[in-house]
Amino acid sequence: MELELTGAEIVIESLKKEGVETLYGYPGGAVLHIYDALYNQQKINHILVRHEQAAVHAADGYARATGKPGIVLVTSGPGATNAITGIATAHMDSIPMVVISGQVPCEMIGNDAFQEVDMIGVSRPVVKHNFLVKDVANLATTIKQAFYVATQGRPGPVVIDIPKDVTAQKTHFKYPKTVNMRSFTPVVKGHSGQINKAIEAILQAKKPMIYTGGGVVLSNASEQLTEFTRLLGYPITNTLMGLGAYPATDKQFVGMLGMHGTYEANLGMHNCDVLIAIGARFDDRVTGNLERFCPYAHIIHIDIDPSSISKNIEAAIPIVGDVKEVLTKINNELKTQKLKPKHDISDWWKQIDEWRAVDCLKYKKSDTVIKPQQAIETLYKVTNGDAYITSDVGQHQMWAAQYYLFDKPRRWINSGGLGTMGFGFPAAMGVKQAFPDADVACVTGEGSIQMMLQELSTCSQYQVPVKIINLNNRYLGMVRQWQEFFYDKRYSMSYMDSLPDFVKLVESYGHVGLLVEKPEDLEPMMKEAFAMKDKLVFMDIITDQSENVYPMIAAGAGQDEMILL
Amino acid sequence: MKENQRHILSILMENQPGALSRVVGLFSARNFNIESLSVAPTDDDSLSRLTLSTNIAADKLDQVTKQLNKLIDVVKVIDVTHSSHIERDFMLVKVSITKAEIKSEVLNLVNIFRGTIVDVSNEVYVIQLVGTCQKIDAFLEAISPNMIIEVVRTGAVGVLRGNRALKI
């Protein structure tokens, strides 16, 4: 006979059935039963964060690095609303995640009870789906559905809101083996007619460009993408979210595209005749002015989400399907039928190499002041280009994306869609817990890091030895840059005054702080930092205050209207 | 920008709390408009059928349909106006008639539009009218605005002609 379990025990047992190892959360009244059930087991490792937003970012970092869904447990009311920014961050970047929030007891819902918030309503626009469980009999099935929805098709965060009384009620526990939802049946296999049309167009290209995004990473299709690109010999660019899906040190890679993309990537896009878009969504930071976007291109678009296709840019040959499945199919066709591009594209490569020779990422070196780009280049060198790099949002994020060459997927972890300052540090915690032996660094700035500083305490408690690379320019740098370019240097509220002594601050938590002020100290001190394997090291690197991110396409300008240094 | 056109979308969705708010929330979040909306359970009570009419350009309609299909609670979506279809709007209109000669004029109009008077009290008449939205609009235009006390309409509902149906 099956055992009767409480709702709280069902939550924990279901998570175990899903293979959950790490849970990020923060207790409170509405989830006390669940925390009680957590107390008597060893399998799931619960990490107590210091703010619910950090719990979600940490689970997010864990999910991005491992490919497994991130799991969060928060209480009702403020616990739930604090999680919202994290959930929205995951939603914009399609990260699989299950967030369990407590709710006031069923009979009190709607009464403005203590710590009550309509989590279903509040979270609705920023989740893939959400569930309110009002009957313990539905709890196990709902959790199964939540994992299914979060991970299948285009991934995303799913919220399960559980009223406190449901966690106390008992029922027989039986975790469903499979799940079937008539209203959720993602298309995985691409349409073979469309695939054949695409192959035809791809082989006809005279000036091809492959443009790939986060979908390739999410679909674990790096290997297939690399094979596809090499079979064709075409140039490839990655979006901010797609970095690492194709080795950045490879000759066919022309760098990141978009607002702060390379000259060769953006001009390659602008002048191409066939654009092969894979797992990318034509975001405004990529396209710039839609009217001027890829004016000569015949566009092929492969994406698992039909609503991403022809949303901003009309695709001539759309293929709805999982990127990995579709690329495997195309590669097989190319190989078995020995298909080769019809045209010699050496002139196109010559043109691209001329753009490359402009060396758009060059910057003025200095002996007296540390250049932020140099800090990233040093980080790349010291970690052999093999670290997991998380970042916050702003100039440092762009420099990390430009100067750290990612050769592997899931190594570059940043908030691309929502652009959430404060994401990087808790995300690094999540990554480090997933891969304790790997080097994990958070590239941040003195603005972003102060949004999640409280997690220094979590890192002490659980001994999470991440490295924090703080590019400290005493400015909200990206805001300052826009004010310099577009607001006549009126630096409204972009100066960061009253900064703490970061070294002393982190020391008070038991961590190591290093202040780096001279260019010649950068490399030795960074080596020293990474040699301290079991220590969280905060490198407060004082950088050039006036440095800007180049190249740049101003908002609303065309891909071919780049501002170079 | 292409020109806006009126479309009637029929949506089959899970008959669950919150499903309606997902559809409505999608329209406001994505900056689409809703002209009218009606929803009720179908013969299969696990499903609701929601009909809404919206004014939208053809290229945006594609995006609306895809976004609706993406909602987990939505099972199927069709654009009724895309094919040969029957559409009906239902109205109850309350009018005040104080003069005898106007009364005959209104009764005449009710007959012409095939409406029914469903209630009479103290010089107040409740008229019921069924038809396309244009027909109901035409009726409202035909009677004097200062006679109208109140108007309630369901908004358009529709089905495709022939044996095609929105079912699972």
Side-chain angles (χ1 to χ4, degrees), chain B residues 31-101:
Chain B
N31 204 13
F32 306 136
N33 70 66
I34 298 178
E35 297 259 299
S36 73
L37 180 150
S38 75
V39 57
T42 63
D43 53 331
D44 171 353
D45 64 8
S46 72
L47 291 168
S48 288
R49 180 152 171 165
L50 185 155
T51 311
L52 64 81
S53 76
T54 177
N55 258 315
I56 201 161
D59 54 335
K60 289 283 167 209
L61 179 71
D62 184 45
Q63 186 56 212
V64 171
T65 312
K66 285 172 173 176
Q67 291 292 349
L68 283 168
N69 272 312
K70 200 164 137 179
L71 293 176
I72 306 291
D73 283 336
V74 168
V75 182
K76 265 187 182 174
V77 182
I78 54 166
D79 174 11
V80 174
T81 31
H82 184 70
S83 322
S84 176
H85 69 284
I86 312 293
E87 85 171 73
R88 290 291 179 268
D89 191 351
F90 174 90
M91 173 174 73
L92 292 172
V93 54
K94 199 184 276 182
V95 294
S96 156
I97 303 176
T98 47
K99 290 180 195 146
E101 67 271 23

Side-chain angles (χ1 to χ4, degrees), chain A residues 91 120 124-125 127-131 149 154 181-184 305-312 314, chain B residues 14 18 21-22 25-26 29-30 44 46-47 60 62-63 66-67 69-75 168:
Chain A
H91 185 242
I120 295 299
R124 199 197 61 231
V127 292
K128 184 168 175 188
H129 195 57
N130 56 23
F131 298 94
V149 172
R154 180 177 179 177
M181 296 169 78
R182 61 183 172 190
S183 56
F184 180 61
D305 178 4
S307 75
S308 280
I309 292 175
S310 299
K311 182 176 70 177
N312 300 331
E314 186 79 19
Chain B
E14 299 289 349
S21 71
R22 290 181 212 281
L26 170 74
R30 301 244 171 217
D44 171 353
S46 72
L47 291 168
K60 289 283 167 209
D62 184 45
Q63 186 56 212
K66 285 172 173 176
Q67 291 292 349
N69 272 312
K70 200 164 137 179
L71 293 176
I72 306 291
D73 283 336
V74 168
V75 182
I168 54 166

Side-chain angles (χ1 to χ4, degrees), chain A residues 105-151:
Chain A
C106 286
E107 88 252 15
M108 291 173 83
I109 292 178
N111 277 359
D112 300 325
F114 176 65
Q115 292 196 329
E116 179 185 357
V117 74
D118 171 16
M119 183 56 168
I120 295 299
V122 170
S123 65
R124 199 197 61 231
V126 296
V127 292
K128 184 168 175 188
H129 195 57
N130 56 23
F131 298 94
L132 172 64
V133 186
K134 287 171 109 169
D135 182 348
V136 72
N138 299 333
L139 187 54
T141 310
T142 305
I143 295 173
K144 182 77 188 175
Q145 288 179 332
F147 275 86
Y148 175 68
V149 172
T151 54

Side-chain angles (χ1 to χ4, degrees), chain A residues 226-480:
Chain A
T226 306
E227 185 180 19
F228 171 76
T229 307
R230 291 193 175 146
L231 280 171
L232 294 167
Y234 290 176
I236 176 169
T237 177
N238 290 342
T239 68
L240 179 69
M241 293 307 298
L243 292 174
Y246 188 85
T249 51
D250 188 85
K251 197 185 168 303
Q252 278 172 256
F253 187 64
V254 295
M256 180 174 77
L257 81 166
M259 184 171 270
H260 294 294
T262 66
Y263 191 62
E264 52 272 34
N266 284 326
L267 286 186
M269 289 287 288
H270 189 77
N271 291 287
C272 73
D273 68 346
V274 173
L275 180 65
I276 308 154
I278 308 172
R281 61 184 177 88
F282 296 83
D283 173 80
D284 57 274
R285 286 308 193 250
V286 158
T287 60
N289 185 346
L290 289 173
E291 304 288 318
R292 296 177 66 95
F293 180 77
C294 295
Y296 318 109
H298 192 63
I299 297 175
I300 298 155
H301 190 182
I302 308 169
D303 204 289
I304 197 156
D305 178 4
S307 75
S308 280
I309 292 175
S310 299
K311 182 176 70 177
N312 300 331
I313 294 287
E314 186 79 19
I317 307 176
I319 302 173
V320 176
D322 176 54
V323 162
K324 189 176 190 162
E325 292 263 345
V326 175
L327 283 178
T328 304
K329 182 96 194 291
I330 295 177
N331 290 345
N332 284 344
E333 294 287 315
L334 292 177
K335 286 184 291 185
T336 54
Q337 299 191 46
K338 298 196 168 51
L339 299 172
K340 294 265 181 276
K342 301 265 189 299
H343 302 281
D344 170 17
I345 62 159
S346 54
D347 282 351
W348 177 233
W349 270 116
K350 214 176 122 195
Q351 172 68 73
I352 289 171
D353 287 337
E354 276 170 30
W355 290 325
R356 222 178 222 166
V358 170
D359 193 13
C360 67
L361 293 179
K362 64 177 178 277
Y363 60 93
K364 291 194 188 89
K365 309 248 156 94
S366 164
D367 296 332
T368 51
V369 60
I370 299 173
K371 292 287 183 174
Q373 300 93 328
Q374 179 196 1
I376 304 295
E377 285 178 334
T378 309
L379 176 65
Y380 179 74
K381 193 173 159 195
V382 168
T383 58
N384 299 315
D386 204 29
Y388 287 84
I389 305 292
T390 72
S391 98
D392 272 305
V393 170
Q395 286 184 319
H396 64 266
Q397 176 190 25
M398 292 299 115
W399 285 317
Q402 290 173 330
Y403 294 90
Y404 200 102
L405 304 176
F406 295 93
D407 279 341
K408 294 177 191 162
R410 301 192 178 279
R411 295 294 168 120
W412 166 238
I413 286 159
N414 83 130
S415 167
L418 196 67
T420 309
M421 288 171 70
F423 171 81
F425 179 30
M429 282 182 357
V431 176
K432 186 70 183 173
Q433 279 162 336
F435 298 106
D437 299 329
D439 281 332
V440 179
C442 166
V443 175
T444 184
E446 81 290 345
S448 286
I449 191 68
Q450 289 191 87
M451 288 204 179
M452 280 286 134
L453 264 181
Q454 76 285 344
E455 298 309 314
L456 286 167
S457 172
T458 312
C459 286
S460 312
Q461 183 176 346
Y462 298 97
Q463 292 165 1
V464 190
V466 298
K467 306 293 179 268
I468 298 173
I469 310 299
N470 187 42
L471 302 183
N472 186 343
N473 63 354
R474 285 81 70 213
Y475 269 111
L476 299 175
M478 193 57 94
V479 174
R480 194 206 59 75

